[in-house]
Amino acid sequence: MHDALGSTLARDAVAVLFVDLDGFKPVNDAHGHEVGDELLRQVAARLSACVREQDVLSRVGGDEFVVLMPGVATAADAESMMYRVRDALFAPFTVHGRRIRIGASVGVHLAPSDSDPDQALRAADEAMYEAKRQGGDRRTGGRHRADP
């Protein structure tokens, strides 16, 4: 993912979405790691269904994912993806016969071409934490727009 971000930023703008699952830890604690692992597989499948063919989806931590959207430099396009991701993850999951609900806090950063990849990821991560501070998956969104 980091290599793809660096090579894309060398030639094009990229929208970076940092996705953190809301409510995953309690599910893992209450139902065990087998249920948690299956839930993560289902989350990945739903996220894969949201992204475009040219996008990059990566799991970067326990319950964190990053979506890279090469060529996206407008807030409207990035926000559209943010809402698709959140809506897909808000719908209930069925894992080993259990109905499970989680949500997602999504941070969005619009990185212009020639941006530093590490800085772009940090900015999206910071935007995700701001979304969490605002209540997580409450349909408010977290954004960090790049300077023009």
Side-chain angles (χ1 to χ4, degrees):
M1 183 269 307
H2 199 271
D3 290 343
L5 179 59
S7 64
T8 303
L9 282 173
R11 65 182 186 287
D12 205 354
V14 178
V16 181
L17 283 72
F18 204 103
V19 181
D20 185 75
L21 303 182
D22 295 335
F24 176 76
K25 185 176 180 344
V27 169
N28 215 24
D29 291 346
H31 302 292
H33 293 287
E34 184 177 321
V35 169
D37 289 348
E38 177 57 27
L39 178 57
L40 288 173
R41 283 190 280 279
Q42 290 185 28
V43 164
R46 287 191 189 180
L47 290 175
S48 293
C50 289
V51 300
R52 307 169 305 166
E53 187 174 321
Q54 67 268 34
D55 294 341
V56 174
L57 170 64
S58 178
R59 181 174 168 213
V60 295
D63 65 345
E64 297 176 333
F65 295 82
V66 169
V67 177
L68 305 178
M69 300 176 67
V72 173
T74 68
D77 289 339
E79 288 176 10
S80 175
M81 175 64 81
M82 176 187 71
Y83 288 117
R84 274 197 312 270
V85 163
R86 289 191 355 191
D87 288 346
L89 298 181
F90 185 73
F93 291 84
T94 301
V95 181
H96 299 298
R98 293 175 175 93
R99 186 179 167 106
I100 296 173
R101 283 188 162 284
I102 59 170
S105 296
V106 182
V108 178
H109 176 68
L110 302 176
S113 61
D114 290 330
S115 295
D116 176 74
D118 291 328
Q119 179 57 34
L121 284 172
R122 274 193 302 277
D125 185 43
E126 289 170 11
M128 181 274 298
Y129 278 107
E130 180 58 29
K132 277 205 176 294
R133 281 189 288 278
Q134 294 176 12
D137 187 18
R138 294 229 176 115
R139 306 295 186 257
T140 58
R143 289 192 311 270
H144 180 318
R145 291 197 173 96
D147 294 330

